[in-house]
Amino acid sequence: MFFNFTYLLFALPGMLLAAWAQYKVTSAYRRASQIPCQQGFTGAEAANHMLNAYGVPGLGIEPIAGEMTDHYDPQSKTLRLSEGVYGSNSLAAVGIAAHEAGHALQDAQRYPLLVTRGALVPVANIAGNLSWFIILAGMVLLAAGAILGKAVLLAGVGLFSVTVLFQLVNLPVEFDASRRARVALVEQGIVSPAEDQEVKKVLDAAALTYLAGTLTGILTLLYYLYESGLLGGRDE
Ligand SMILES: [Zn+2]
């Protein structure tokens, strides 16, 4: 029911872009993690330097297990960098750390889209978990010819659209964090303009994965609307 041919048609562009983005992010990361930053900064040092320079001194920066687990936690005002980023002085490490520091700067400056994203997180989490169940129930009811089916399906689709809204808000937040990172790294002399080009490749590839996720979300939403007959594609 979820993985039928129609769904595949709808979801294919998103899946292809996601696969391409995954390939790009892996290859860009692998490449840039072999190139040491000439100024010798580690990821943690670059983030710390950047936060001090832009008015957020003394923010906690901790290592965290795993790969690509790097994130900024706005609740505890802590930057968590994966072990491969925290202590490494590669351009990949410095770029990723600076991106996460970019989120900390957004938080300190109450960047409106980050505030919106923060408000959407709990709602989007609940909606994301519930929507699958309700959509599935709606499709089963619809297939069984129950009158309620369409209403249940639409309620599920409405919930799912909240998660897509979250992705749409998240996208410019991610782009902005990468933009801040690259400006800061060059401005602070942590990387040279030539090194910045390697950092750009890593951060652009990461942005592409967010873009692919958002596209997949939008296409899945369109598929649900099609299934529910709202796009006029399917009879009751
Ligand atoms: Zn980010």
Side-chain angles (χ1 to χ4, degrees):
M1 190 172 295
F2 270 47
F3 294 100
N4 62 20
F5 185 67
T6 319
Y7 177 69
L8 205 62
L9 276 185
F10 271 91
L12 201 60
M15 287 173 174
L16 290 176
L17 187 64
W20 169 243
Q22 199 52 52
Y23 163 75
K24 291 288 282 181
V25 88
T26 309
S27 60
Y29 180 79
R30 199 170 288 160
R31 182 186 151 90
S33 56
Q34 305 295 322
I35 309 172
C37 163
Q38 278 167 19
Q39 294 298 320
F41 281 83
T42 64
E45 287 165 355
N48 187 50
H49 186 92
M50 177 173 157
L51 290 166
N52 282 329
Y54 295 94
V56 193
L59 194 103
I61 303 176
E62 305 172 343
I64 182 173
E67 221 177 64
M68 308 246 173
T69 46
D70 312 79
H71 66 277
Y72 169 66
D73 176 8
Q75 246 77 49
S76 63
K77 312 282 177 206
T78 309
L79 213 61
R80 300 206 178 88
L81 302 176
S82 62
E83 282 153 358
V85 167
Y86 187 91
S88 160
N89 66 353
S90 73
L91 288 179
V94 164
I96 291 168
H99 169 94
E100 299 306 334
H103 285 309
L105 291 185
Q106 289 173 335
D107 187 29
Q109 294 165 9
R110 308 295 294 155
Y111 176 62
L113 284 172
L114 185 81
V115 177
T116 310
R117 179 176 94 162
L120 277 173
V121 168
V123 191
N125 279 341
I126 296 169
N129 290 331
L130 268 181
S131 64
W132 298 107
F133 174 71
I134 296 176
I135 286 168
L136 185 64
M139 283 182 170
V140 168
L141 286 171
L142 212 56
I147 297 165
L148 260 180
K150 190 162 177 175
V152 173
L153 182 57
L154 283 179
V157 172
L159 277 177
F160 184 75
S161 67
V162 176
T163 67
V164 176
L165 177 68
F166 172 81
Q167 288 178 304
L168 284 172
V169 172
N170 187 43
L171 214 48
V173 172
E174 294 301 335
F175 291 160
D176 179 78
S178 288
R179 184 191 60 78
R180 286 170 193 257
R182 290 183 51 214
V183 167
L185 288 176
V186 174
E187 239 174 45
Q188 295 301 312
I190 298 170
V191 306
S192 68
E195 290 178 310
D196 170 57
Q197 289 307 307
E198 289 300 327
V199 170
K200 179 183 190 304
K201 281 178 198 158
V202 174
L203 296 184
D204 282 356
L208 201 59
T209 65
Y210 283 107
L211 200 63
T214 306
L215 181 67
T216 303
I218 292 170
L219 293 174
T220 304
L221 182 61
L222 286 177
Y223 165 71
Y224 288 146
L225 290 173
Y226 171 84
E227 280 292 325
S228 62
L230 267 187
L231 289 185
R234 174 167 283 242
D235 294 332
E236 296 281 307

